Amino acid sequence: MEIDLLKEFYGFFLHLQERAFEFPEKERSLEAREIQQKNRSLHVKLAYGAYGAQSRIRDRTTGQLVFQKEEDHVDLTDLRNYIILPENSTAGLLFTERFQGSGIVSALSEAFKKAFHAKYSGYTLEINAMTSEAAFGAFMESGEIKKIRLVRQAIPHDVAGALGLGDEETELGSLEIMLRPPRTGAFRKKRIQSVMSGETDVSSLLEWRNVAFRELKVEVKIADSVRTLSVSSGTTPGMLYDLDSEMRKEGVVELSDAWVYSKAEELAEDLGENMGLSADRMRREFQWPESWDRYRLEVPVDAND
């Protein structure tokens, strides 16, 4: 049986427009709001948010209460997503947006894989972080390390005490150590390359002066672009792209949908070369079947929910 994975993703997003997928154990909800197609790619806005807690929302200037959130109310954030699946390819690329350090990829992966495996139990589907050794190698080899950042949630108590911070500020705050080379120079790569390639455990770089950090971010400059490679302890390295620096470089003042999706398309072609996917193949025109608009890939509902 021949399966077009693009059809399955499209049907899945159409289903999420009609019925949100709930993660009751996490008190989270996922739904789709906007879906656009361009050849073999999809531009999708997914709304993701939490429920299960009451809160008050007030106007900062007047102090007036404007909304009372109840436990069943879902606080949703719209996040842009770009997916491209070239025809007759066994692999594609998925870009998801992160906001204030939080992303949607784990929730999207869990929901889609549950729907896919319920229908195609004999097939294997993998959604993995982009960690191609060829891709990392190309970036690290041709680029210059311009910044190293160590990030942790919660401020250490001795630092908080020195700054006179309260318990809530300490627990909800974050600490970031930033290292920069001399203005015209770059950091050495060998140790960082060994971590990014998986040869060295990142935990060896995530502790400084007895403070444990959660994430290591390395900014690599390639020509006029900046790529951020990120790795956390116990996780597979992930590839992040700093849109703020891309906007400054291109003189873009507004983070519009059109610009974000065009940037994702550009980055996909950049990565595609390392996966054996030519730009010509990724741009190839595709006649979108009308029947796909009537298809739905539904996430099975747990009878215990």
Side-chain angles (χ1 to χ4, degrees):
M1 178 172 57
E2 185 175 336
I3 299 173
D4 191 327
L5 196 56
L6 184 61
K7 174 188 176 183
E8 305 304 325
F9 268 106
Y10 185 55
F12 171 72
F13 293 137
L14 290 175
H15 171 67
L16 284 184
Q17 276 189 316
E18 299 170 357
R19 191 182 77 197
F21 179 64
E22 305 295 335
F23 302 83
E25 70 284 355
K26 300 176 183 177
E27 297 185 325
R28 295 270 171 172
S29 185
L30 175 70
E31 63 184 56
R33 289 193 58 247
E34 297 176 12
I35 308 170
Q36 296 180 357
Q37 50 204 240
K38 180 182 178 183
N39 295 327
R40 295 283 303 183
S41 69
L42 290 170
H43 305 171
V44 185
K45 273 191 180 177
L46 294 175
Y48 186 57
Y51 54 88
Q54 294 187 1
S55 66
R56 293 175 294 108
I57 299 177
R58 63 171 173 83
D59 187 294
R60 184 174 64 87
T61 56
T62 66
Q64 296 295 312
L65 179 69
V66 294
F67 184 73
Q68 173 69 50
K69 179 186 172 185
E70 304 298 339
E71 291 186 6
D72 285 339
H73 292 165
V74 185
D75 187 2
L76 295 164
T77 300
D78 289 342
L79 298 169
R80 304 173 185 91
N81 301 267
Y82 174 86
I83 182 169
I84 183 166
L85 291 161
E87 203 164 7
N88 300 320
S89 175
T90 58
L93 288 166
L94 167 67
F95 290 81
T96 63
E97 185 178 12
R98 295 181 70 179
F99 176 70
Q100 294 181 343
S102 298
I104 202 170
V105 67
S106 60
L108 172 59
S109 176
E110 180 181 339
F112 179 73
K113 289 170 77 171
K114 187 174 182 179
F116 183 86
H117 289 308
K119 186 167 185 178
Y120 302 106
S121 59
Y123 287 78
T124 299
L125 171 73
E126 294 185 1
I127 301 177
N128 298 317
M130 180 61 195
T131 57
S132 162
E133 289 187 14
F136 273 118
F139 286 141
M140 293 297 290
E141 193 64 35
S142 60
E144 296 181 326
I145 297 179
K146 289 296 187 179
K147 188 186 297 183
I148 299 173
R149 293 154 59 194
L150 289 166
V151 184
R152 69 166 273 148
Q153 301 304 120
I155 300 171
H157 289 289
D158 57 343
V159 176
L163 296 174
L165 304 181
D167 291 340
E168 183 178 1
E169 294 169 309
T170 301
E171 294 302 319
L172 297 180
S174 63
L175 175 69
E176 182 172 316
I177 302 296
M178 184 183 302
L179 296 86
R180 295 178 184 269
R183 187 163 59 91
T184 58
F187 285 126
R188 296 179 182 179
K189 306 179 190 177
K190 188 174 181 180
R191 185 72 184 278
I192 300 295
Q193 282 177 308
S194 68
V195 168
M196 291 296 177
S197 66
E199 296 175 11
T200 302
D201 192 329
V202 69
S203 61
S204 63
L205 299 182
L206 287 177
E207 185 170 325
W208 184 70
R209 293 192 175 181
N210 296 320
V211 175
F213 290 84
R214 178 179 59 86
E215 188 174 17
L216 170 74
K217 295 183 179 182
V218 182
E219 292 191 10
V220 183
K221 184 177 180 181
I222 305 171
D224 293 326
S225 295
V226 174
R227 300 287 185 267
T228 300
L229 310 181
S230 171
V231 63
S232 303
S233 182
T235 68
T236 306
M239 227 175 241
L240 302 178
Y241 296 93
D242 186 348
L243 292 183
D244 287 338
S245 65
E246 295 286 330
M247 290 174 69
R248 289 193 295 270
K249 183 189 71 175
E250 298 180 12
V252 175
V253 296
E254 180 184 358
L255 189 64
S256 66
D257 292 349
W259 184 83
V260 170
Y261 289 130
S262 67
K263 180 57 62 174
E265 184 176 354
E266 174 189 319
L267 296 172
E269 291 185 3
D270 186 19
L271 285 175
E273 293 184 5
N274 295 296
M275 300 171 59
L277 298 172
S278 66
D280 177 68
R281 185 178 179 186
M282 299 179 81
R283 296 172 188 168
R284 195 169 297 164
E285 291 188 3
F286 177 70
Q287 189 66 39
W288 203 268
E290 292 183 6
S291 61
W292 285 15
D293 287 320
R294 298 187 295 273
Y295 176 69
R296 301 290 187 275
L297 181 66
E298 298 189 9
V299 185
V301 177
D302 191 331
N304 297 320
D305 288 349

